Amino acid sequence: VQNNSISLSSIIIMKIFSLVLSIAAMASGQRIGAAQEQKHRRTQADGNTNVLEMYNDLTSYDEICVDGPRIIERKIPYIKLTPENAIEPDIPLSYTFGAATWTVGYQKLCDRDEPLHFTCLDANLQGFVPEILQIANGKINEVGRTIADFSPALSNREPRFFGCAEVLEDEWLDLIRNPDEHYIRASPGPPAGDYVIRGQIWQAFPALLSNDQVVAPFDTTIEGASGRARINVEEGGNRIFFDATIDGFDPEVAKVSRGDEGENGVIVLNFSDTKIGKGRFLGSMTLEELDVDHQVIIEMIADPGLYYFSFQGGTTAPEAFTSIRGQVYPYNADW
């Protein structure tokens, strides 16, 4: 009986102790020790950006005491990474490519007055396993400075990567305001660290075409016509790729113009030469062929919502006044 009493007492004490530990753990939130916490902070000595392991769509934060939900300020999917976009002294990594989704946001922390500012990449790279993955500031034809380095988190040796990096507040604000002036750079690392694929963080100029967007005098339409169009900037801004499909209407003239909804703007790009079939435009043209310079392209990707696609039946009346039109989405969309 005595042994049974001792065993019962031990069980009760263990359960009480376990309950106390549970309450203490709940009270501490997700806090970790100062030494571990410091490991996840930016190393001020060398200026590197430490990677924070944030997975499951940023809903869980390893070893970080958070205060409230994370806030996503901006997101751009479908960013193309290609060897053709490499700028000297980088060397194109041939026969490889990639795609990425970029996000930027912030998270309030339990023990800091200032929130944690982060940027994240969900990247799928084909043809090599990356050891270097970075975001740098620089326009389409520039080599810039790295502001976020995801490379320390690439130890899993997989071509698919998802992770986030802390960013200094001023660089974070610049990312939000001017994502088009930043790019993603990926490389297999030493001894081939100069071989890269690269992609500018910007929208791919998507537009849905419809009859209700046309503006007089180009307001003659073909009933039931619809379509979609997009462009991509390639080779560091030296070449533009066009892709447009129009159903129910077979135009001869294809243009991108600068102008708001409801107004006729100024023609910027004429890509009529890319027509390959009925209602179909597909192909690329150099800046020389388009008769524009890099500054025109830089201005376009800085504010894509100020541009629109228009397609006309011909170059002379009355065909020239038969058209379909679509304003460029200011952000990429799933369509």
Side-chain angles (χ1 to χ4, degrees):
V1 175
Q2 186 177 10
N3 289 337
N4 289 339
S5 298
I6 293 174
S7 298
L8 182 60
S9 299
S10 300
I11 292 172
I12 293 173
I13 292 172
M14 290 177 65
K15 285 187 174 294
I16 293 173
F17 183 67
S18 177
L19 180 61
V20 170
L21 287 178
S22 298
I23 293 173
M26 291 174 62
S28 64
Q30 301 173 29
R31 189 175 302 279
I32 60 172
Q36 289 177 300
E37 197 169 9
Q38 185 63 31
K39 184 179 69 173
H40 287 265
R41 299 271 176 87
R42 184 184 296 102
T43 304
Q44 299 293 344
D46 57 15
N48 289 335
T49 304
N50 287 315
V51 175
L52 306 174
E53 295 180 348
M54 304 177 186
Y55 297 97
N56 300 325
D57 195 27
L58 298 180
T59 55
S60 64
Y61 292 68
D62 286 357
E63 301 183 330
I64 296 291
C65 180
V66 301
D67 180 14
R70 91 288 186 199
I71 305 298
I72 301 298
E73 292 283 359
R74 197 165 187 183
K75 176 180 179 179
I76 298 179
Y78 314 128
I79 300 167
K80 292 173 58 178
L81 283 73
T82 66
E84 291 78 16
N85 287 330
I87 302 295
E88 292 183 354
D90 284 339
I91 304 169
L93 184 61
S94 301
Y95 309 111
T96 63
F97 65 93
T101 294
W102 165 83
T103 53
V104 62
Y106 67 90
Q107 170 68 60
K108 291 183 178 180
L109 301 180
C110 302
D111 57 349
R112 284 168 53 175
D113 293 334
E114 295 296 325
L116 182 151
H117 300 92
F118 63 81
T119 182
C120 303
L121 284 180
D122 185 352
N124 191 0
L125 309 174
Q126 300 295 321
F128 72 105
V129 176
E131 287 192 5
I132 296 175
L133 184 61
Q134 301 164 329
I135 291 178
N137 62 350
K139 297 178 181 179
I140 52 175
N141 57 342
E142 296 177 347
V143 175
R145 177 179 55 85
T146 300
I147 65 166
D149 192 353
F150 304 89
S151 306
L154 297 175
S155 58
N156 58 0
R157 302 290 299 172
E158 295 290 338
R160 181 68 184 268
F161 169 83
F162 176 78
C164 303
E166 186 176 356
V167 183
L168 292 172
E169 183 176 7
D170 56 344
E171 295 172 341
W172 179 83
L173 288 171
D174 191 39
L175 260 176
I176 292 177
R177 293 167 180 164
N178 305 295
D180 56 284
E181 295 183 5
H182 298 78
Y183 61 89
I184 302 168
R185 178 181 182 272
S187 168
D194 292 334
Y195 287 82
V196 307
I197 59 174
R198 167 174 161 159
Q200 205 73 14
I201 301 176
W202 71 293
Q203 294 80 22
F205 266 69
L208 293 178
L209 311 173
S210 63
N211 290 334
D212 59 2
Q213 297 184 69
V214 299
V215 178
F218 308 99
D219 54 353
T220 302
T221 60
I222 304 298
E223 185 177 357
S226 64
R228 60 180 61 193
R230 68 182 178 92
I231 68 173
N232 275 307
V233 176
E234 300 178 338
E235 297 182 11
N238 292 314
R239 182 177 291 274
I240 311 298
F241 175 80
F242 300 91
D243 183 0
T245 300
I246 301 97
D247 298 317
F249 176 38
D250 185 24
E252 293 295 329
V253 179
K255 300 177 294 186
V256 174
S257 301
R258 180 183 175 91
D260 286 325
E261 295 181 29
E263 70 176 26
N264 288 314
V266 179
I267 300 172
V268 178
L269 306 175
N270 187 323
F271 60 100
S272 305
D273 290 345
T274 64
K275 183 171 182 176
I276 61 171
K278 185 176 181 180
R280 191 77 174 98
F281 296 82
L282 183 68
S284 63
M285 299 177 67
T286 65
L287 296 194
E288 185 177 359
E289 291 169 334
L290 291 163
D291 194 25
V292 296
D293 58 23
H294 281 103
Q295 188 57 38
V296 171
I297 307 304
I298 289 170
E299 290 175 1
M300 287 177 64
I301 64 178
D303 203 345
L306 290 180
Y307 295 81
Y308 64 89
F309 287 89
S310 63
F311 299 83
Q312 295 162 265
T315 58
T316 59
E319 290 82 5
F321 298 106
T322 302
S323 70
I324 191 170
R325 170 173 163 160
Q327 199 77 18
V328 175
Y329 286 16
Y331 302 102
N332 232 331
D334 295 326
W335 54 271

